[in-house]
Amino acid sequence: MPFAATPPEGLVTLSQNARTVLDKRYLVKDKTGKSVEKPEDMFWRVATVVAEADRRYGASDGAVQALAEEFYFLMTQRRFEPNSPTLMNAGRPLGQLSACFVLPVEDALSNGQNGIYDSLRSMALIHQSGGGTGFSFSRLRSKGSMVRSTTGVASGPISFMELYDASTDAVKQGGTRRGANMGILRVDHPDVLDFVACKEDLTKITNFNISVGITTKFMDALKADGSYDLYDPANGAVVAQLRARDVWDRMILGAWRTGEPGVFFIDEANKYNPVPHLGAYEATNPCGEQPLLAYDVCNLGSVNLGYYVSNGVVDWDAMRRDIALSTHFLDNIIDVNKYPLPEIDALSKRIRRIGLGVMGFADMLVRLGIPYDSAEGVEMGRRVMEFLDVEGKKESERLAKDRGAFPEWARSIWGPDETCARDANGQRIRPMQLLRNCNVTTVAPTGTISIIAGCSSGLEPLFAVAFMRNQAGVMMPDVNEDFVSIAKHEGWYSDELMERIAKTGSVRHAEVPAKWQAVFNTANNISPEYHIRMQAAFQQHCDSAISKTTNFSHTATVDDVRAIYEMAYDMKCKGVTVYRDGSRDGQVLSTGATA
Ligand code: CDP
C-alpha cells in the first residue's frame, strides 16, 4: 500500500528561521531553483522512506504507515533530527543518507582500489552524495623518500592532501554544499612537523580539518620529557627521533594561532573500537566525533534535550520513548541507504554503526536554571548522556532480538565471553549485551540541524544570548527566547539591553540578576576547564566521540592552551579542538564583541 501523498495533519512547530534554512538548502527545487516542496513535504518524504525499512522485517502496511507518522512528528516537532544528508537525499535519486565516511589511502598512486588516486575518486563520489570524508595519510611515504619506479622522490602526504583539497573544491556535497574532510597524520610519521604547520596559512587546505594522531607512546614520552621514534611508513624502520615536548609545543602554538591542528588520541579511541577483529580505527569524520575503520560509515541523529523540560522538570519518560524511536529510525537508515561504494555498503551491514547524540543541552540547563560551568551542570551532562546511552542500547537490543544482532556481534566487544574482543590484559572491555548496532552513541556538532530544530547546538554552551548568525551567506538575527521570556516575565527586559548584549557578547549587565548572569553564561565566558570537564563527562557514556570546541578568550596564552590539551588527555577525552576568539576570519557565528 503506498503512503498518503500528503503529510499527516497535526502539530508542526518549525520556526521561520528553520523554514528559511530548509528552503535555501534542502527542499527539492525545480530548474529555476524554486522549491517545489514545503518543509512538511520534505519531512514526510524522509519519514516514509525510513519507515519503509520495517516492512522487510514483517511489519504490516498499517504498522509502517503508523511508524512513518511517528517519525514525521518526531522531526517536525523538533524532538529529533537526523543528519543533513538524510534530509536532503531520502526519497531522491542520490538516496545517500549518512554524514560520515572514512577511506583508506595506501602508498600507491593507483592499485585499482585504495591507492591515492583511487581514494580520491571515492572521495568525490562520497562528497557528491552529501557525505563528509576522513583520511589518515600516515601510510604514505615521507617527502623526499625514493620512488622506485621512477627513481624520483616522493612528494609526501601533505602534497597529496593538497590534491584532495583542490579536488574537493570542484564537487558540491549532495549538490548543495562543499565537501568537508578530516586529514590525520600519526605523530610518529616522519613528516609530522610539516603536517603540524601545513595550515598556518589560513588560505590553504581550507576544505580540511587536520588532527595529529597522538599515540600513548608519545604521551608517555611527553610526560617524561623524552624522545620518541619516527617510523618509515614503507617498512616500519625507525628513521629518526624527536623530542616529544618540541612537537607538542608546535602543535599547541598552531592551535593557539589558528585552532589547528586538533589532536585525535588514536590509541585511547582504539581501546573502545567495538570490532577490533576487523581492523583499527583509521581516522575520524570531518568534525572529529566519529572514529571509523577504513570504508566505515555512520549516520547521525540528535535528540533535542531542551524539548523535554517544562516548568523546570525533565520528562524522562517522554525522552525515553523518543530515544527508542530515534534509535529505531537510525537503524532503519542502514537498510534503506544507497551507499556510494560496495565496500562501504558491505561493512555498514556487518556492523550497523549508528550515532545517536544530543542537541539543545544548553537549553535544557537554562530551563532547569543550572549554569553550564558548575558541578551540577557537568553532572547533568554525565547523567543525560548515560540515559541516552542506556536507553539507546535498550532499543538496539530490542531490535536485535527482533531482527538479529549485527553480523559481527559475537566477536565484537559486546559478544559472549569465549569469542569476544578483549583488552590487552584479556579483560572484557564492555559487559555482554545483545545489540543490533556496534556503536549507538556519538555527539555531533549539529551545525545545521540545530538551526532547523531551533535549539542550542550539540552539547555546547549557548554561543550568545543575542547575536547575528551568518547562515549560508545571509546574516540572521538570533535572540535566546528563554532569556527574553524570563526578562519580560521578571520585568527587566528592554530592547536596549538586548542590543547591549549583542554588542558586548555578554549578559554581565547591571539589570540582569546574578542568577541569570550565571545561567546564561556563554561559550566565550566559560572557562576552558569547564568546557573540557563537560566534554569528559559526556565522553564517559558515549561509544564514539564528542564534537566539542573549547573556547578561549583572545587574550589566552599558549600555556593556557597547553594546559587544556593535557587535561583533555588525562580526563580520557578522545580528542581536543580549541578556538581562540578572533583567531580566524569568517567565523560562522559572531558576537558583537569580535565581529
Ligand atoms: O547539522 P548537520 O547534520 O548538517 O551536521 P553536523 O552535525 O554539523 O556535522 C556532522 C557531520 O556531518 C560532520 O562531522 C561531517 O562528517 C559531516 N559534515 C559534512 O560532511 N559537511 C559539512 N559541511 C558539515 C558536516
Side-chain angles (χ1 to χ4, degrees):
M1 192 179 70
F3 289 103
T6 50
E9 294 290 320
L11 180 68
V12 168
T13 61
L14 298 168
S15 70
Q16 197 46 52
N17 261 6
R19 288 178 186 276
T20 306
V21 169
L22 289 171
D23 185 46
K24 229 173 151 49
R25 294 242 186 110
Y26 297 171
L27 302 184
V28 178
K29 308 280 191 301
D30 65 15
K31 284 201 184 100
T32 67
K34 194 169 163 296
S35 297
V36 296
E37 62 178 359
K38 293 203 296 288
E40 285 79 355
D41 305 321
M42 180 202 77
F43 283 114
W44 184 235
R45 162 165 72 71
V46 174
T48 52
V49 166
V50 179
E52 188 62 34
D54 267 44
R55 207 183 295 277
R56 8 183 130 190
Y57 303 105
S60 66
D61 281 346
V64 173
Q65 175 78 28
L67 183 65
E69 292 186 12
E70 281 196 79
F71 284 161
Y72 174 77
F73 289 113
L74 185 70
M75 292 182 286
T76 53
Q77 293 176 358
R78 305 177 292 138
R79 287 137 54 195
F80 159 88
E81 304 298 341
N83 55 206
S84 289
T86 302
L87 299 175
M88 293 173 185
N89 297 335
R92 303 191 59 199
L94 280 171
Q96 197 295 102
L97 311 179
S98 298
C100 318
F101 295 82
V102 160
L103 293 170
V105 187
E106 290 296 336
D107 189 28
L109 287 186
S110 173
N111 58 14
Q113 200 206 356
N114 52 18
I116 295 166
Y117 283 83
D118 306 305
S119 287
L120 180 70
R121 172 182 177 276
S122 302
M123 176 191 82
L125 294 175
I126 291 173
H127 287 173
Q128 183 186 39
S129 81
T133 38
F135 308 90
S136 169
F137 293 101
S138 306
R139 284 194 212 96
L140 303 190
R141 77 194 73 179
S142 59
K143 188 175 165 183
S145 48
M146 214 194 40
V147 179
R148 220 171 272 145
S149 57
T150 59
T151 59
V153 288
S155 48
I158 293 147
S159 68
F160 288 117
M161 192 162 76
E162 286 166 350
L163 169 77
Y164 278 44
D165 183 64
S167 168
T168 301
D169 273 328
V171 181
K172 278 201 171 165
Q173 269 183 324
T176 59
R177 57 185 185 187
R178 193 125 50 72
N181 300 293
M182 170 64 81
I184 289 187
L185 197 77
R186 287 174 65 96
V187 71
D188 51 17
H189 189 284
D191 291 0
V192 66
L193 294 180
D194 287 347
F195 180 77
V196 166
C198 77
K199 290 198 67 180
E200 250 171 32
D201 176 348
L202 287 172
T203 63
K204 286 179 87 185
I205 323 186
T206 51
N207 301 310
F208 270 84
N209 293 322
I210 60 165
S211 278
V212 181
I214 298 288
T215 60
T216 306
K217 268 191 187 164
F218 174 86
M219 288 310 286
D220 291 346
L222 179 69
K223 298 247 148 141
D225 195 11
S227 297
Y228 73 102
D229 295 333
L230 302 183
Y231 301 97
D232 181 346
N235 56 21
V238 175
V239 288
Q241 285 203 321
L242 287 173
R243 185 175 167 223
R245 181 143 304 277
D246 288 345
V247 179
W248 190 242
D249 283 352
R250 291 192 201 205
M251 284 168 37
I252 305 290
L253 183 63
W256 177 84
R257 275 200 190 123
T258 66
E260 291 202 274
V263 293
F264 173 44
F265 294 121
I266 193 161
D267 290 341
E268 180 64 25
N270 264 306
K271 274 189 206 159
Y272 304 98
N273 174 1
V275 285
H277 61 290
L278 299 181
Y281 280 138
E282 172 88 8
T284 71
N285 67 334
C287 301
E289 71 276 13
Q290 189 63 61
L292 294 169
L293 310 180
Y295 295 117
D296 204 349
V297 54
C298 192
N299 58 303
L300 308 172
S302 304
V303 173
N304 179 3
L305 297 175
Y307 175 87
Y308 302 92
V309 186
S310 52
N311 301 322
V313 178
V314 182
D315 185 345
W316 294 101
D317 287 334
M319 200 196 294
R320 177 182 291 115
R321 285 192 297 275
D322 284 350
I323 291 170
L325 193 57
S326 306
T327 306
H328 185 165
F329 183 109
L330 293 179
D331 184 62
N332 277 17
I333 297 246
I334 296 168
D335 293 324
V336 295
N337 210 344
K338 292 187 194 160
Y339 292 103
L341 295 175
E343 293 88 343
I344 294 172
D345 187 291
L347 183 60
S348 89
K349 292 188 175 131
R350 296 207 69 70
I351 64 178
R352 304 190 70 88
R353 191 191 292 279
I354 60 173
L356 182 66
V358 301
M359 55 186 170
F361 174 62
D363 299 331
M364 172 183 233
L365 289 183
V366 159
R367 290 169 200 171
L368 292 170
I370 302 173
Y372 191 95
D373 49 346
S374 66
E376 207 187 346
V378 173
E379 172 52 21
M380 192 66 201
R382 194 203 59 74
R383 184 170 166 210
V384 79
M385 192 64 209
E386 181 179 30
F387 190 79
L388 186 89
D389 193 52
V390 167
E391 297 299 329
K393 291 212 171 76
K394 272 191 207 158
E395 176 63 7
S396 182
E397 184 171 0
R398 187 192 70 77
L399 290 167
K401 286 183 181 147
D402 203 31
R403 306 173 171 188
F406 63 96
E408 297 292 336
W409 174 75
R411 290 193 290 162
S412 80
I413 58 173
W414 309 106
D417 274 343
E418 309 79 57
T419 49
C420 79
R422 315 289 181 95
D423 67 13
N425 304 318
Q427 300 298 310
R428 288 197 69 98
I429 298 158
R430 293 283 189 235
M432 177 177 150
Q433 186 171 15
L434 190 73
L435 289 175
R436 176 82 172 148
N437 313 94
C438 76
N439 267 183
V440 174
T441 45
T442 302
V443 181
T446 72
T448 306
I449 62 171
S450 64
I451 300 171
I452 294 168
C455 64
S456 62
S457 54
L459 58 19
E460 298 291 2
L462 297 178
F463 174 74
V465 165
F467 64 100
M468 299 300 287
R469 185 196 286 273
N470 180 349
Q471 188 57 49
V474 182
M475 293 304 283
M476 301 202 299
D478 226 311
V479 290
N480 185 289
E481 285 172 16
D482 289 305
F483 185 84
V484 170
S485 84
I486 290 166
K488 286 188 172 162
H489 182 72
E490 296 190 355
W492 43 269
Y493 178 87
S494 73
D495 288 345
E496 189 276 324
L497 171 65
M498 296 311 290
E499 270 168 39
R500 228 181 314 138
I501 290 172
K503 220 175 267 164
T504 56
S506 162
V507 289
R508 291 185 189 147
H509 300 282
E511 57 269 64
V512 182
K515 171 183 173 177
W516 298 123
Q517 290 192 20
V519 167
F520 284 96
N521 199 6
T522 49
N524 281 331
N525 300 311
I526 285 172
S527 71
E529 288 74 19
Y530 263 109
H531 282 279
I532 292 293
R533 285 177 65 179
M534 192 63 89
Q535 180 179 339
F538 273 81
Q539 185 61 69
Q540 272 183 48
H541 298 286
C542 179
D543 291 327
S544 293
I546 310 279
S547 167
K548 177 89 189 75
T549 302
T550 290
N551 296 85
F552 284 84
S553 66
H554 189 68
T555 54
T557 65
V558 175
D559 284 340
D560 295 336
V561 175
R562 180 183 295 109
I564 283 304
Y565 269 57
E566 290 173 12
M567 180 176 166
Y569 179 71
D570 291 340
M571 293 191 85
K572 301 207 175 305
C573 293
K574 291 182 184 165
V576 197
T577 306
V578 302
Y579 183 72
R580 191 168 57 89
D581 200 25
S583 62
R584 268 201 215 197
D585 295 328
Q587 290 170 240
V588 177
L589 305 176
S590 64
T591 62
T594 57

